[in-house]
Amino acid sequence: MATIFSRIVRGEIPSYKVAEDDRFYAFLDINPRKPGHTLVIPKQEVDYIFDLDPEQLGDLFRFAQRVAHAISAVIPCNRVGVGVLGLEVPHAHIHLIPLDTEADLNLSRPICKIPAEEMQRICQAIAKKFE
Ligand code: AMP
């Protein structure tokens, strides 16, 4: 059965897409810990990120680097932090989170309530900077 993230890539489930190419896809986390919290995934359905082919893993991080620069251009922050958990969704993904303090990378922290219109605005702004 397809993962929820594969269903997002196929357009079966909506997402706030910020970037895509033939192998990778980036979209806002639906439960953002900070505004601009973004997930970057390979379209290839692999559960554990370190099971990816080394070249694919490197390319995933190269793609994530471009997304992180786009996030930094839109969301005021000290830097964009990187987190990898995968405890909830069995489809490899990288969390990119705008950081001001160390605590901002704690994924157990409360979810930010961001209205849909604001999520859409953030999404479009990051997507524009990624181009
Ligand atoms: P984890 O697997 O522990 O890295 O967490 C999975 C992340 O995916 C969580 O931060 C969720 O909020 C996020 N997530 C789950 N479903 C969706 C979805 N449909 N759209 C965007 N983000 C999602």
Side-chain angles (χ1 to χ4, degrees):
M1 191 160 123
T3 66
I4 187 165
F5 289 171
S6 288
R7 297 189 64 206
I8 284 174
V9 170
R10 288 185 209 149
E12 295 168 7
I13 295 176
S15 69
Y16 294 101
K17 180 175 88 171
V18 302
E20 179 177 19
D21 71 5
D22 56 330
R23 288 186 295 154
F24 307 110
Y25 192 97
F27 55 108
L28 298 184
D29 194 303
I30 202 73
N31 299 309
R33 279 44 163 222
K34 296 275 284 187
H37 179 178
T38 298
L39 302 177
V40 184
I41 68 169
K43 291 184 179 178
Q44 183 190 354
E45 211 172 68
V46 170
D47 174 357
Y48 184 44
I49 194 166
F50 294 123
D51 284 337
L52 283 168
D53 171 81
E55 190 176 334
Q56 174 89 332
L57 179 62
D59 290 346
L60 174 65
F61 269 86
R62 268 184 279 279
F63 187 84
Q65 180 183 35
R66 294 173 57 206
V67 177
H69 286 317
I71 294 170
S72 298
V74 172
I75 306 290
C77 61
N78 188 297
R79 59 185 55 208
V80 173
V82 175
V84 175
L85 285 83
L87 297 172
E88 185 186 320
V89 177
H91 186 139
H93 53 279
I94 298 170
H95 293 258
L96 296 178
I97 304 179
L99 299 182
D100 290 307
T101 69
E102 191 178 313
D104 291 334
L105 201 51
N106 179 2
L107 288 164
S108 299
R109 63 182 285 140
I111 292 158
C112 297
K113 297 268 184 249
I114 303 177
E117 310 80 56
E118 178 63 2
M119 287 287 276
Q120 193 59 46
R121 190 197 66 75
I122 292 169
C123 170
Q124 286 173 349
I126 296 171
K128 198 162 169 32
K129 290 291 180 185
F130 182 83
E131 284 170 2

